[in-house]
Amino acid sequence: MEINSKIEKAKKGDQIAFTFLLDYFWNEVYGFMLKRTENETTAEDITIETFSKAFDKIASYNPEFQFNTWLIAIAKNVYIDLLRKKKTNLFIEITDTEDQQAYNIADTTPSAEDALIKEQNLSRLLQCIKELKPHYQEVIHLRYFQEMTYQEIALKIDEPLSNVKVKLLRAKKLLAEIIERNR
């Protein structure tokens, strides 16, 4: 079957096989998450994270199970992790008096040191981005600095939406490796 050969090629690092698998299974994973989250952005983020984790761990995929079942299991785990994070970020009710006391104590205005650290971190990040190939730099810039949607990026660079998703996935992974290497 063609899927199994694509999986084997993807295990060997074949980018075309990765793209094929992403295209082939995207709607199934996205649809599954959309039903659960009832939010297109969240479903899309979870789906992207799912494929990222799946491609990182593809060597551990057991062909005795269906590939789509494996992807759905990963998606469920990503979703559970997201729910756990949301639970730990819940706010505690405080009274107006407590709020005023906290406001009087906490000055959230960034200090000169905070501004310098932020500027240095941005500068370091931009240096790391410059180490990426130009087409990866472009999608990172469009997505995170110009805050374009995946669809807007696809139109801007005249490429299919699935290619944009794969490029961003790959660019983020490479950027993380560069950042880690430069620490």
Side-chain angles (χ1 to χ4, degrees):
M1 184 181 189
E2 186 180 2
I3 297 295
N4 291 335
S5 70
K6 294 291 185 187
I7 293 167
E8 288 308 310
K9 286 180 180 178
K11 282 183 175 183
K12 294 175 185 161
D14 184 324
Q15 285 297 311
I16 295 168
F18 280 130
T19 303
F20 174 85
L21 293 171
L22 181 89
D23 287 343
Y24 192 85
F25 291 104
W26 176 269
N27 288 340
E28 185 174 352
V29 175
Y30 175 75
F32 177 83
M33 290 318 308
L34 187 59
K35 283 180 190 168
R36 272 150 193 75
T37 64
E38 296 178 351
N39 180 302
E40 290 178 9
T41 305
T42 303
E44 190 172 79
D45 289 345
I46 291 170
T47 305
I48 289 169
E49 178 80 13
T50 298
F51 280 98
S52 177
K53 286 180 184 278
F55 291 158
D56 283 345
K57 307 259 188 252
I58 197 157
S60 69
Y61 166 68
N62 181 348
E64 290 178 24
F65 302 100
Q66 293 290 322
F67 192 72
N68 60 339
T69 305
W70 184 65
L71 287 171
I72 295 294
I74 294 170
K76 284 180 185 176
N77 289 334
V78 170
Y79 184 51
I80 289 168
D81 289 346
L82 180 75
L83 291 176
R84 283 187 187 135
K85 277 184 194 169
K86 280 187 178 179
K87 248 185 191 173
T88 59
N89 290 337
L90 291 177
F91 292 100
I92 299 167
E93 278 295 319
I94 60 171
T95 65
D96 287 341
T97 309
E98 291 169 329
D99 187 40
Q100 189 59 44
Q101 288 172 340
Y103 180 79
N104 291 339
I105 294 168
D107 178 10
T108 58
T109 309
S111 67
E113 293 87 3
D114 292 336
L116 183 63
I117 289 168
K118 186 176 179 181
E119 197 175 300
Q120 286 175 342
N121 286 341
L122 180 59
S123 174
R124 199 173 305 135
L125 176 62
L126 291 172
Q127 280 304 118
C128 291
I129 291 171
K130 285 180 184 172
E131 292 184 38
L132 293 170
K133 290 181 180 174
H135 61 277
Y136 290 141
Q137 287 180 34
E138 181 181 28
V139 292
I140 290 281
H141 178 76
L142 294 173
R143 179 71 176 146
Y144 299 104
F145 291 91
Q146 293 190 12
E147 297 181 351
M148 288 184 162
T149 64
Y150 296 108
Q151 191 62 52
E152 289 170 335
I153 295 169
L155 292 170
K156 172 102 174 148
I157 65 174
D158 195 29
E159 287 194 26
L161 187 60
S162 59
N163 285 15
V164 169
K165 290 174 182 173
V166 170
K167 266 189 186 175
L168 264 167
L169 200 67
R170 188 82 181 117
K172 287 187 339 190
K173 186 175 179 183
L174 291 170
L175 184 57
E177 290 170 8
I178 290 167
I179 291 169
E180 191 61 36
R181 191 175 64 230
N182 289 335
R183 282 192 173 187

